[in-house]
Amino acid sequence: MFLKGPDQPQYHPQPITTAHINLNNDLNTIVQKFSEHYHDAWASRKLENGVTYGENRSEVHKTHPRLKPYNMLNEYEKERYKEPVRESLKALLSIGKKKKINKKYKL
């Protein structure tokens, strides 16, 4: 359901179609490496701000349960990093294919 009102027009998301894009092993390796990098970059920022590992996330105590090495995250937590990386890469590839087709046929 979308909110609609005088100052809130109805929103119709139109993501890039990526269903036709399949990532090969090399690209899946890139997804994995970038996901690890993204987690490490996030963790570095947290540590720089004085946040430490804790069983529970707490703004007051400055603790976070994901503040640990990537390989110690559970599969759900790892997938939360991989899914947006994978979808972004697929969208970039889709855009590239579309540009190549447009250029070839002068569209």
Side-chain angles (χ1 to χ4, degrees), residues 54-92:
E55 289 293 321
N56 298 305
R57 183 177 178 187
S58 170
E59 296 291 325
V60 173
H61 297 106
K62 295 184 95 171
T63 58
H64 201 292
R66 284 195 335 253
L67 200 50
K68 55 188 171 185
Y70 183 86
N71 66 350
M72 294 180 69
L73 298 174
N74 66 40
E75 289 306 311
Y76 173 79
E77 292 168 325
K78 289 177 183 176
E79 188 58 29
R80 287 191 66 194
Y81 286 104
K82 289 189 277 189
E83 193 273 333
V85 173
R86 184 183 308 111
E87 284 305 310
S88 295
L89 182 55
K90 288 171 69 173
L92 289 168

Side-chain angles (χ1 to χ4, degrees), residues 8-85:
Q8 295 177 321
Q10 192 165 0
Y11 173 54
H12 298 283
Q14 296 180 352
I16 296 166
T17 302
T18 61
H20 64 287
I21 303 292
N22 294 309
L23 302 181
N24 63 25
N25 286 339
D26 289 339
L27 293 175
N28 278 313
T29 298
I30 290 170
V31 168
Q32 177 66 32
K33 292 292 185 188
F34 191 82
S35 299
E36 292 172 20
H37 159 75
Y38 192 80
H39 173 72
D40 285 348
W42 168 85
S44 293
R45 288 189 304 276
K46 290 291 185 188
L47 292 169
E48 288 169 6
N49 288 313
V51 179
T52 60
Y53 172 81
E55 289 293 321
N56 298 305
R57 183 177 178 187
S58 170
E59 296 291 325
V60 173
H61 297 106
K62 295 184 95 171
T63 58
H64 201 292
R66 284 195 335 253
L67 200 50
K68 55 188 171 185
Y70 183 86
N71 66 350
M72 294 180 69
L73 298 174
N74 66 40
E75 289 306 311
Y76 173 79
E77 292 168 325
K78 289 177 183 176
E79 188 58 29
R80 287 191 66 194
Y81 286 104
K82 289 189 277 189
E83 193 273 333
V85 173

